[in-house]
Amino acid sequence: MNRFLATDALRKWVPLLVLVGLCLFFTALNPNFLSLRNFARIAISSSPALMVAIGVTFVILMGSIDLSMEGTVAVCAVVFALILNALGGTIAGRGWVALPAALLVGAALGAINGIVHVKLRIPSFMASLSLGFVGIGLSLLITGGDRILIDDPPFRSLLTVRVEGFPLMAYAALACLLVAWFIQDHTTVGRNFYAVGGGEDLARASGLNVGRLRIIGFVLAGVFYALGAIFAVARLGIAETETGRNFMFMSITSVVVGGTALRGGEGGVWNTLVGVLIVNVIGNGMVVIGLADYCQDGVLGLLVIAAVYLSTDRRSLSFVK
C-alpha cells in the first residue's frame, strides 16, 4: 500500500520532471537555450496558448471536452481588432472598449456551446467541434478573408515592453493564471467542477445542478479563449481567421501532458502551465538546436507521445472519452 501511494505521488511530479529534463537536454545540445532571451521567446509563444489551455482545463475537469477554441479565438480576435480600429485604433482612447467586447463575445460563444451540449443533449465532443467550425466560418464572413492590422503602440506594448527581460504579456498571462487558480480552488463553482468530473451521478445526488455547472464551465472557457485571442493579436499585430490555428492541438496536448485527466476530476491550471511549457520548450528547443523544419512536426509528435505516456495514469487507459 505504501509503495502504491509513493508511486501515485511520484506520478504527479512526472510532468515537472519531464519539463526539467527537456530543458537540460536542449541546453546540453546548445547552451544558448539557457539564456534569458530564449526564455523570453518561450514566454511569448506560451502566453496565448496558456490562456486557451486554461479555458479548456475547466471543461476537462468536469469530464467534458471542448474543441471549439480555434473558431472562438478567431471570432474574438476579429471582433477585438474591428472594434479597436473603429474606435480610434488605440486602447489609450475609446478603443479600450474592444477588450471587454472580446471577452463578452467569448463568453457568449461559450454559453452557446454549453447550452447546445446540455439542453440538446449532444456530446460535448461533437457540439464543440461543430461550433468551432461555425466560428471559423463566421470570422471568415466578417473579414472577407482579409487581415486586420493593429498598429497601436500601447496595445503592442504587451509584446514590446520588457520588465526584467520578459514582455508585459508574460506577466499579464501570469495574472490571468492566478485568477483561474482562484476560481478553481477558492470558489464553490471551481470545487464543483471537480465534483462533477469525479462522478456526475454522485454530484447530482448531492444536489448539484450539473447542467448549469457545465454551461458555466464553457462560459469560463470562452472568456479565456478570448484572452488568448487578445494576446495572439498583440503578439502578431494582425487579426484574421487563421489567428486560432493550431490552438486545438496545443491546448488539448498541454492539458493532458500536464497531468490533468481526460476523465475529469483530477489536475488543474498549474498542471496546465507545466504542460504548456513542455510543448513550447519542445518547439523552441528544436529551433535552437537547428533541426530542419520538415523534421520538427514529427519529432514534436514523438516527444509529446513520450511525455503523455510518462505523465498519464496507466489505470485510466480503459477509459474512452
Side-chain angles (χ1 to χ4, degrees):
M1 182 65 178
N2 291 335
R3 181 184 301 177
F4 170 78
L5 292 175
T7 302
D8 193 55
L10 179 61
R11 182 183 60 80
K12 295 180 179 179
W13 290 96
V14 167
L16 184 59
L17 295 175
V18 170
L19 177 60
V20 172
L22 286 169
C23 290
L24 293 175
F25 172 73
F26 288 123
T27 300
L29 294 179
N30 188 338
N32 290 329
F33 177 85
L34 202 64
S35 65
L36 182 61
R37 177 177 295 182
N38 191 52
F39 283 164
R41 294 193 191 101
I42 294 174
I44 291 170
S45 63
S46 298
S47 295
L50 177 60
M51 296 299 97
V52 177
I54 287 173
V56 78
T57 298
F58 286 123
V59 176
I60 290 178
L61 283 177
M62 297 185 294
S64 297
I65 195 72
D66 187 359
L67 303 179
S68 68
M69 60 281 293
E70 293 189 354
T72 302
V73 168
V75 173
C76 291
V78 167
V79 169
F80 168 79
L82 285 175
I83 294 177
L84 178 64
N85 287 341
L87 296 179
T90 176
I91 59 171
R94 293 186 302 161
W96 68 268
V97 174
L99 294 172
L103 298 181
L104 286 174
V105 170
L109 292 174
I112 294 172
N113 205 353
I115 291 171
V116 169
H117 165 49
V118 173
K119 299 300 184 181
L120 300 185
R121 292 183 171 272
I122 297 176
S124 57
F125 174 87
M126 289 306 301
S128 60
L129 183 63
S130 300
L131 289 173
F133 287 129
V134 171
I136 292 173
L138 179 60
S139 66
L140 185 61
L141 179 65
I142 295 173
T143 62
D146 295 331
R147 292 182 171 184
I148 305 173
L149 300 179
I150 299 296
D151 187 20
D152 176 28
F155 176 65
R156 295 301 306 282
S157 66
L158 284 171
L159 175 69
T160 58
V161 175
R162 304 291 176 104
V163 177
E164 298 297 329
F166 288 90
L168 293 178
M169 185 186 302
Y171 297 100
L174 180 60
C176 293
L177 173 65
L178 292 175
V179 171
W181 166 74
F182 181 83
I183 295 172
Q184 172 190 279
D185 282 6
H186 297 281
T187 67
T188 302
V189 168
R191 291 191 291 270
N192 286 343
F193 287 162
Y194 283 97
V196 173
E200 183 173 332
D201 292 338
L202 182 60
R204 291 184 187 277
S206 301
L208 296 181
N209 188 331
V210 174
R212 184 173 67 89
L213 283 170
R214 291 195 184 280
I215 294 173
I216 292 173
F218 278 98
V219 169
L220 277 174
V223 171
F224 278 92
Y225 297 164
L227 288 170
I230 292 169
F231 287 169
V233 174
R235 177 188 175 194
L236 300 174
I238 59 173
E240 59 178 337
T241 301
E242 292 294 305
T243 301
R245 186 177 182 183
N246 291 331
F247 275 117
M248 184 189 298
F249 169 80
M250 288 286 292
S251 59
I252 300 297
T253 299
S254 297
V255 171
V256 177
V257 167
T260 296
L262 283 175
R263 67 181 181 275
E266 180 182 341
V269 296
W270 291 108
N271 298 78
T272 296
L273 171 63
V274 174
V276 168
L277 291 175
I278 288 174
V279 173
N280 282 276
V281 162
I282 290 173
N284 175 272
M286 289 189 296
V287 173
V288 169
I289 65 177
L291 195 66
D293 290 342
Y294 61 85
C295 296
Q296 290 181 18
D297 288 342
V299 173
L300 177 62
L302 292 175
L303 290 177
V304 166
I305 289 173
V308 171
Y309 176 81
L310 292 173
S311 62
T312 302
D313 186 356
R314 305 267 67 79
R315 292 170 295 167
S316 66
L317 284 177
S318 60
F319 182 86
V320 179
K321 176 63 71 178

